[in-house]
């Protein structure tokens, strides 16, 4: 059996899993209590899962789980699994040869960067990109043209088309209609969204230096910024992914390790279009879809238009961020 065919089968399987997770992720957990970090091993033959969160909703207990091989996440009830509570170090050692742990280690190795710490690119040998669009707090409406143009270009060759959205708690609170519109696109299988935690408040100062800005601002409650965003996602029927994007792509080594201690993989970008960075095969592209970055949106639309013929021939595609990162670290030590 050829490697190419195996990749095709994996891609098809991930697509089926994604559609199943869409249905699960549409559940709105409106009465969440006791939401906390919880690490453990959960087994439902033949698959092992990493437990990263535990919470209750309307009298029932739930886990947020990560597939360490595919980076897929899901919410499920404990009764379906054989469970063993573990420490974070125990979990990371137990799953040390998986793409999940390798991605965490890689992000930590790049943690000295003040900007762009984390995973910056996915599959370098593939022709295409992983698109990430940030939804920082904004008074402007969602740039819906990004998503309608993606569907228009890819509907015949890649449906649903995968995108990753870095979402903040404040954006969810202030833009309920735009959020419902995105959820409908996903429910209609026009796009598949990987929801990235982008912090709750996304504080930023025009005066402070980078080392004291964004999440590095003194007094920032990182537990609130991470966990309240996850709770807001679950309340809005979104499935939290295993990824985290630093506001402004700004962090320091201590902050990176705090995020990996949540079991989250920091994801950066090697192609922030509005800053003039050009995408390469396998790039994790960054644009802002919150109405604040028209130049980046315009550049992405131009990029799509320039690839129309290649898209039609399946020679230039959008890649699921989970699959892209998974394959990048599948065989790396």
């Amino acid at each position: 059996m050829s490697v190419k065919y195996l990749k095709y089968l994996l891609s098809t399987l991930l697509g089926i899993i994604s559609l199943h997770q869409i249905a699960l992720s549409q559940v709105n957990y409106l009465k969440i209590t006791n939401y906390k970090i919880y690490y453990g091993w959960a087994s439902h033959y033949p698959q092992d899962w990493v437990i990263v969160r535990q919470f209750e909703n309307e009298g029932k207990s739930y886990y947020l789980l990560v597939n360490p091989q595919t980076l897929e996440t899901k919410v499920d009830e404990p009764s379906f699994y054989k469970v063993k509570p573990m420490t974070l170090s125990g979990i990371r050692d137990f799953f040390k040869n998986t793409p999940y742990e390798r991605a965490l280690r890689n992000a930590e190795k790049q943690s000295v960067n003040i900007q762009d710490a984390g995973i910056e690119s996915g599959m370098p040998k593939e022709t295409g990109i992983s698109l990430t669009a940030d939804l920082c707090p904004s008074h402007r409406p969602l740039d819906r043209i990004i998503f309608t143009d993606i569907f228009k270009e890819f509907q015949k060759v890649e449906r649903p088309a995968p995108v990753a959205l870095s979402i903040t708690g404040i954006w969810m609170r202030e833009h309920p209609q735009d959020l419902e519109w995105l959820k409908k696109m996903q429910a209609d299988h026009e796009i598949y969204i990987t929801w990235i935690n982008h912090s709750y408040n996304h504080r930023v100062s025009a005066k402070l230096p980078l080392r004291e800005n964004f999440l590095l601002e003194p007094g920032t409650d990182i537990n609130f910024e991470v966990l309240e965003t996850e709770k807001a996602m679950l309340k809005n029927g979104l499935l939290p992914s295993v990824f985290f994007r630093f506001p402004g792509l700004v962090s320091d080594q201590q902050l990176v390790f705090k995020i990996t201690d949540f079991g989250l993989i920091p994801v950066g970008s090697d192609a922030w279009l509005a800053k003039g960075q050009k995408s390469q095969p396998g790039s994790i592209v960054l644009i802002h879809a919150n109405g604040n970055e028209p130049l980046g949106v315009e550049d992405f639309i131009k990029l799509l238009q320039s690839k129309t013929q290649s898209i039609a021939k399946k020679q230039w595609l959008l890649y699921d961020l989970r699959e892209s990162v998974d394959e990048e670290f599948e065989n790396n030590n």
Side-chain angles (χ1 to χ4, degrees):
M1 190 177 292
S2 70
V3 173
K4 191 173 183 179
Y5 183 64
L6 283 171
K7 284 185 179 180
Y8 169 77
L9 287 178
L10 177 61
S11 179
T12 302
L13 179 60
L14 275 173
I16 294 170
I17 291 171
S18 295
L19 292 177
H20 177 63
Q21 288 303 319
I22 288 172
L24 290 176
S25 66
Q26 293 300 320
V27 175
N28 294 70
Y29 298 93
L30 298 176
K31 297 182 179 180
I32 295 175
T33 58
N34 299 322
Y35 192 87
K36 62 184 179 181
I37 301 169
Y38 180 93
Y39 292 117
W41 163 78
S43 179
H44 185 95
Y45 184 83
Q47 183 61 54
D48 289 337
W49 295 81
V50 179
I51 308 169
V52 292
R53 304 287 183 270
Q54 183 183 50
F55 67 95
E56 296 172 10
N57 187 77
E58 294 187 331
K60 285 188 176 181
S61 293
Y62 295 93
Y63 289 145
L64 177 61
L65 305 118
V66 179
N67 184 321
Q69 301 295 337
T70 65
L71 308 186
E72 165 201 0
T73 55
K74 69 176 179 179
V75 174
D76 217 339
E77 297 178 39
S79 58
F80 295 122
Y81 302 89
K82 180 182 177 182
V83 172
K84 181 181 179 181
M86 300 175 75
T87 62
L88 176 60
S89 60
I91 279 288
R92 293 189 60 171
D93 184 63
F94 186 79
F95 290 103
K96 63 185 177 182
N97 294 320
T98 64
Y100 174 55
E101 168 57 21
R102 289 176 182 143
L104 286 170
R105 287 202 304 266
N106 181 273
E108 290 170 346
K109 286 177 183 177
Q110 299 185 53
S111 62
V112 294
N113 301 335
I114 189 70
Q115 283 192 293
D116 274 339
I119 309 302
E120 292 184 0
S121 60
M123 301 177 285
K125 296 180 181 178
E126 302 291 351
T127 305
I129 62 169
S130 295
L131 175 66
T132 62
D134 288 5
L135 295 172
C136 318
S138 172
H139 296 298
R140 297 184 176 93
L142 178 74
D143 278 310
R144 298 189 180 191
I145 189 173
I146 298 169
F147 307 98
T148 54
D149 275 24
I150 286 173
F151 176 64
K152 183 174 67 176
E153 292 289 345
F154 286 96
Q155 60 180 319
K156 293 182 180 179
V157 296
E158 195 176 13
R159 181 172 182 177
V163 298
L165 298 185
S166 307
I167 196 165
T168 57
I170 287 181
W171 193 91
M172 281 184 270
R173 187 185 70 200
E174 300 297 326
H175 296 269
Q177 292 181 333
D178 283 332
L179 184 57
E180 288 303 314
W181 184 83
L182 286 168
K183 288 167 62 179
K184 186 176 187 307
M185 282 201 79
Q186 175 154 286
D188 292 341
H189 309 314
E190 296 175 351
I191 58 175
Y192 177 78
I193 303 171
T194 297
W195 298 99
I196 300 174
N197 191 327
H198 197 34
S199 82
Y200 195 90
N201 290 299
H202 195 295
R203 290 193 180 92
V204 59
S205 169
K207 298 179 180 179
L208 291 174
L210 287 184
R211 293 191 178 278
E212 298 176 17
N213 216 328
F214 298 100
L215 290 182
L216 298 177
E217 183 180 330
T220 296
D221 183 347
I222 195 64
N223 284 311
F224 179 90
E225 296 294 339
V226 173
L227 299 181
E228 285 301 313
T229 307
E230 291 177 357
K231 287 167 63 177
M233 287 185 192
L234 291 166
K235 288 176 182 178
N236 281 285
L238 313 183
L239 180 64
S241 75
V242 75
F243 299 109
F244 185 91
R245 170 162 278 164
F246 294 110
L249 298 183
V250 171
S251 62
D252 63 11
Q253 190 170 39
Q254 184 180 18
L255 182 57
V256 169
F257 276 81
K258 283 182 180 179
I259 293 301
T260 56
D261 281 351
F262 283 99
L264 300 177
I265 302 168
V267 57
S269 170
D270 62 347
W272 189 336
L273 296 187
K275 291 194 172 184
Q277 299 172 355
K278 302 297 182 184
S279 66
Q280 305 296 327
S283 281
I284 296 177
V285 169
L286 167 60
I287 60 175
H288 284 76
N290 62 347
N292 288 353
E293 195 181 74
L295 181 60
V297 173
E298 182 180 326
D299 286 347
F300 177 70
I301 300 302
K302 287 179 180 177
L303 176 62
L304 272 187
Q305 292 171 345
S306 73
K307 301 293 184 181
T308 296
Q309 293 185 355
S310 296
I311 292 169
K313 296 175 183 176
K314 297 188 180 181
Q315 295 174 348
W316 194 90
L317 298 172
L318 292 178
Y319 290 99
D320 187 320
L321 181 63
R322 300 167 305 167
E323 185 180 353
S324 182
V325 173
D326 156 38
E327 187 160 327
E328 172 69 3
F329 293 101
E330 189 171 18
N331 299 308
N332 291 349
N333 295 314

